[in-house]
Amino acid sequence: MAAPYHSTMRRPGLDVRRTTPSAAGLLNFVRAAADILAVFTAFAISYHLYTQLIVLGIIDRPIPSRSLYLTLALVVGVISVVIFWYLGSYRERANVLNLWEFRVAVKGHLLTAAFFFSVLFVVNGKYSRIIIAGGLAIALLITLLERRVLAALQRTLQVSGRLGRRVLIYGCGEAGRLLMKKIVQSPHVGMTVVGFIDDSSARGRMIECRITQTDRTVFCAPVLGRLSDLRGLVHEHSPDELFVTAEACSSDRFPEILDLAQESGLQVAFVPQLGDIRVDQLSVQDLSAIPVLRPHVVPARPLYFLAKRVMDLTVAAALLVLTAPLWLVAAVLIRLSGPGPIFFKQQRVGLGGESFDILKFRTMQPDAAPYATSPTDDRDPRITTIGRALRTAGLDELPQLLNVLRGDMSLVGPRPEMPFIVDKYTSLERQRLWAKPDITGLWQLSADRIDAIHVNLEYDLHYIRHQSLAFDTLILLETLFFTLEVVAKKAWMAGATLVDKFGGRSRRASEPTAAPTLVPTSRTGATGIGVGRLRPERSDNGVPHSAWQSRVLDIPTGDTGSTYPAHHAFTSKET
């Protein structure tokens, strides 16, 4: 039997229990049962609301049979599960921010509604279309919430080692760290990272990545040994699969690695690399049974950009009307807080390299240095009391709706950078300028927002390659759910802090041992998780080396007070 993992934290302890086919099947059963329960609950709510309208006299109808609509709810639930299964909702799959979950849920419920109403048209029974339509609409919302909860639960089980196929990664370079990050942040891929093997890194070196933006903990996986240690590591840690990054070894060693993995009973997969082209910039084409790697090409979509502009104008105008009272309150409070302008302007670079002035409500003292280091904490003395409240509520960026109406920005896209950063862009980084900058986007919603914008290019480049109105709508929907999640977690943390304060309890965290574990970011600092960050290297005997082996320089700055590579070091006044 494999030796158990040891962990210095009990949140949660890691073990080596492997996911069996029955466990994976049980998880899919739970998902399907939750989907049926969501539909059942939605119809119950719709029925209750409809009967209340009858009781209040708003609708002149007899109260319908409850059992009839609960039976219909069960039928709709079963139909939706069958459609979700057909669409692949219950298969293991990874996608950026798992937005495919939202897409499948929306598409599945639309198909369910179309099918069910078609059946009702043929049957021509006496049913209330209002109850059914309301039930289907509410079911979609509950399903989206339910999927987020289940994804969070699955992620928790996987990063703790209790669920998922166990993975070893050969190579802890950029490709290996990027791969670990994608596995950790994608619960539906069904994997958990046991650790790394690397021929040039010291055993015990810990490599980190953030789990989610709203979670204070990071996942740490150790370098367990060399390729020559593979047989022993398989016996000790019971991995199921080995990922081999091309940067870790030369291609002539691939047959040797393949034989060694097969002898050890491991599935093996190779992560390719073409020179300096990033792994996530490659796509696979099947050319008559021969896989061909090609760099991604962004197609021209003139009709999409026209439709996107119409959507930007419509949504931005509606939000301006809805948030008008907040604008008035914010403006009055900023003016009453002291001298200085209400709005803050800063030059940014947009589509095609064109410069524009981005607008925000001023949250800092008027005498703050124009390009001083950005605040990394709301307790920064340069932030005004009103500014602190605006930042916490996320209202300081409301004026960017005016940028959207002017055409400088879009609701969804890459975040705009400042000119002196763009001047130092590489050719790959300049691809961010192929889309109009945004108010929200994939990077802003990701766990990697703590890092510099261009350190995690995969989010912006993925968006640019897959732009569509449906994708934009999904991102806006995810932004809504993300905002609600942030508010809920802040309220929970505030309550927990009060309990700890008055209950006299204190929280301590230890440094991670040489096993996958979770550590709070307060112990590691708010720097460079990005595509995976190396902790201080330790030699085989556990003695720390003097140098950090990180590829980022800790210079807190920019839109989120994050870290930038040395050649992009700069300072900025306001976030």
Side-chain angles (χ1 to χ4, degrees), residues 332-545:
V332 170
L333 292 177
I334 292 173
R335 178 60 67 196
L336 293 177
S337 66
I342 294 175
F343 295 104
F344 168 79
K345 295 182 180 181
Q346 192 176 64
Q347 194 175 59
R348 298 292 177 96
V349 178
L351 179 65
E354 295 292 329
S355 297
F356 69 96
D357 288 331
I358 194 171
L359 298 174
K360 300 181 182 183
F361 281 125
R362 182 176 60 84
T363 61
M364 297 178 66
Q365 301 292 346
D367 58 349
Y371 288 98
T373 304
S374 294
T376 58
D377 193 295
D378 284 343
R379 291 170 295 183
D380 191 302
R382 294 170 297 170
I383 302 177
T384 64
T385 302
I386 299 303
R388 188 172 297 110
L390 292 175
R391 285 168 172 260
T392 301
L395 300 178
D396 57 319
E397 296 191 358
L398 273 179
Q400 289 170 36
L401 292 173
L402 297 177
N403 288 115
V404 174
L405 292 178
R406 293 193 313 196
D408 300 326
M409 298 176 63
S410 176
L411 293 172
V412 180
R415 193 63 185 159
E417 284 270 34
M418 284 172 274
F420 43 88
I421 300 179
V422 174
D423 290 342
K424 296 180 174 64
Y425 267 5
T426 64
S427 58
L428 180 63
E429 291 168 345
R430 293 196 70 86
Q431 291 183 24
R432 298 186 68 254
L433 307 180
W434 293 359
K436 190 175 291 187
D438 71 332
I439 291 180
T440 186
L442 294 177
W443 173 78
Q444 291 94 309
L445 300 172
S446 74
D448 300 306
R449 180 167 178 168
I450 194 171
D451 282 324
I453 295 172
H454 52 269
V455 169
N456 297 283
L457 284 174
E458 68 267 19
Y459 297 105
D460 291 339
L461 298 184
H462 178 85
Y463 171 77
I464 291 171
R465 291 195 304 267
H466 298 89
Q467 289 181 89
S468 69
L469 287 182
F471 197 24
D472 290 347
T473 303
L474 287 174
I475 293 174
L476 290 173
L477 189 60
E478 172 66 15
T479 301
L480 173 62
F481 281 105
F482 175 80
T483 303
L484 295 175
E485 180 183 354
V486 169
V487 172
K489 285 196 173 183
K490 283 186 176 181
W492 174 266
M493 290 167 57
T497 301
L498 288 175
V499 170
D500 290 345
K501 179 179 179 181
F502 292 104
R505 292 185 297 177
S506 60
R507 299 174 182 239
R508 290 192 312 172
S510 303
E511 285 294 323
T513 61
T517 186
L518 302 175
V519 296
T521 53
S522 59
R523 293 291 295 170
T524 61
T527 58
I529 306 301
V531 295
R533 172 173 174 250
L534 304 182
R535 293 184 63 80
E537 185 180 76
R538 294 180 181 272
S539 61
D540 290 348
N541 61 7
V543 178
H545 290 282

Side-chain angles (χ1 to χ4, degrees), residues 116-161:
F116 191 68
F117 275 114
S118 298
V119 173
L120 288 182
F121 179 78
V122 174
V123 174
N124 196 25
K126 294 183 178 181
Y127 306 108
S128 170
R129 269 53 175 181
I130 296 178
I131 295 179
I132 295 174
L136 291 170
I138 298 172
L140 174 58
L141 295 176
I142 296 178
T143 300
L144 294 178
L145 289 172
E146 162 245 313
R147 293 294 181 87
R148 287 182 66 90
V149 172
L150 289 180
L153 176 61
Q154 185 174 353
R155 180 187 293 113
T156 299
L157 293 174
Q158 286 176 187
V159 298
S160 65

